[in-house]
Every structure is written in C-alpha cells, then in structure tokens.
Amino acid sequence: MSVEAGKGEVLRVGLVSISDRASGGVYQDQGIPALQEWLGSALTTPFQIETRLIPDERAQIEQTLMELVDVSACDLVLTTGGTGPSRRDVTPEATLAIGTKEMPGFGEQMRQISLQFVPTAILSRQVAVIRETERHAALVLNLPGQPKSIRETLEGLKDADGKVKVPGIFAAIPYCIDLIGGPYVETDETVCKAFRPKSAIRPAVKPA
C-alpha cells in the first residue's frame, strides 16, 4: 500500500503483526488491515507501507524489526500483538533489545487510554524505542492487538462534541520523527491533530 509522493519526502512505515495463530493460518490477521485503514484516514502526506506477519518468536521479531529499520529504512515501525503477560508474549522484550533509546511516555499514555475502558489495561506491556544506526533512525512502537484498541490508542478519546478527552499517541509521533531526522508528517486534524511547537511547524505549501 502506498500514496504517491509529490516533491516532499515519503514516510516509510513498517507494520508487524505478531501472532502464532494468525501467522499459522488458524485465523485471519486483523491488526495490519486495521493499521492500514487508520493510517490511510489519518495521514495527509505521502507514505509507503511494508507489512510482516510473524509468530511470537523473539529472535524472529528482533530480526524483523532490525530489517525494517536498517534495510528497508522505515521511519516508523508499528507492531501489534504479543504484549500481554502470557509465556509467548515477548514483543516488548524484542523491541527493547533492538532499541538504542527507550521512549516510556508512549507506553504510559497507551495504558491511560485503555484504562478508560478496562482495568486489565495494566496487564499490557507496550513499549516504544528509537533505533539509531549511523545512517538512519526510526521510532518502533508496540500497539494493542484488537482493531478497536488500535484506533483508540492512536487517535485518542473524544466526547460527544468531538473534543479530545484523552490525547492519542499519534499526536506526538510526527514531531518525534522530525527530531530523529525523518520526513515531515502531517495529519487530518479531524482524525488526529499532530502537535508540534510553533517553531517546528512548516508553512503550508500553496498549490502551483
């Protein structure tokens, strides 16, 4: 899936669904389609997506994440699945292993959003890291496994009038990508408004 680039840079996004059963064909994966749909509605700048569907194997998760950043040059990698307390849930461990900087605020905010619905949100172990190499850097972020939770986590919670009650994590992602040297990302504010300090906002490009 991709959006054709204009003159600007293209955001490269890696989507990784981690599930023994989905990768084994027991049931159809729902995580990657949910992420693709949400990104398609939220992003207004050019982007390209690479997808991976893999089992809950730590070595394979680590290898996949490193490949998407180091070889495919993704600026953002989003994983879904494998963040609970069960024996096979090892996505956070794999993510921390390949990171050079931990970004704990993302996991904290995701749990705050989920706690609006269920007390078991405290069992979720999502983490986020920056992976830096000599030539490239990317934000790698664990998300929940269910499509509804994915959307709420990214988008945040709104009241009946559409006012944001709890900010979603994607509001901070474009500026994070700015800070690590990635492309300038803009969003549809009706879905999720990207927040940047005034000094970091670029003027809108007028049509030729």
Side-chain angles (χ1 to χ4, degrees):
M1 175 181 178
S2 66
V3 174
E4 291 299 322
K7 295 182 179 179
E9 297 177 276
V10 177
L11 174 72
R12 295 185 61 83
V13 184
L15 302 180
V16 186
S17 186
I18 300 161
S19 168
D20 287 332
R21 290 181 291 175
S23 63
V26 176
Y27 60 73
Q28 188 172 1
D29 173 60
Q30 297 182 5
I32 288 175
L35 285 166
Q36 289 176 319
E37 180 181 2
W38 192 88
L39 291 170
S41 69
L43 296 178
T44 59
T45 44
F47 67 97
Q48 296 177 343
I49 286 177
E50 287 202 34
T51 64
R52 303 285 190 275
L53 176 58
I54 59 175
D56 293 280
E57 297 290 348
R58 178 170 169 173
Q60 189 169 350
I61 298 169
E62 291 182 20
Q63 184 61 39
T64 299
L65 297 180
M66 289 189 291
E67 175 195 335
L68 287 169
V69 177
D70 303 352
V71 179
S72 299
C74 289
D75 307 290
L76 173 66
V77 178
L78 302 175
T79 75
T80 175
T83 60
S86 73
R87 189 180 296 271
R88 294 287 292 173
D89 289 334
V90 293
T91 301
E93 286 76 16
T95 303
L96 291 170
I98 62 91
T100 50
K101 292 177 182 174
E102 187 175 357
M103 303 291 288
F106 284 104
E108 293 166 3
Q109 185 64 11
M110 282 189 275
R111 284 179 280 278
Q112 283 298 315
I113 293 168
S114 296
L115 279 168
Q116 303 294 315
F117 300 98
V118 291
T120 51
I122 60 175
L123 301 179
S124 298
R125 302 186 302 114
Q126 291 103 324
V127 300
V129 301
I130 303 294
R131 177 170 173 81
E132 297 171 309
T133 66
E134 290 184 2
R135 297 184 179 183
H136 189 65
L139 173 63
V140 182
L141 181 63
N142 304 154
L143 293 172
Q146 296 301 316
K148 180 177 181 291
S149 298
I150 290 172
R151 184 181 70 255
E152 291 164 349
T153 296
L154 292 171
E155 194 170 317
L157 307 178
K158 301 175 183 178
D159 62 21
D161 297 323
K163 185 177 180 180
V164 175
K165 293 170 56 181
V166 183
I169 62 166
F170 205 89
I173 287 177
Y175 185 49
C176 182
I177 293 173
D178 292 350
L179 293 173
I180 61 176
Y184 191 82
V185 178
E186 295 181 280
T187 63
D188 182 339
E189 294 187 4
T190 65
V191 178
C192 180
K193 182 178 180 179
F195 178 83
R196 289 179 170 93
K198 290 182 179 180
S199 60
I201 298 174
R202 297 184 187 177
V205 178
K206 295 181 180 180

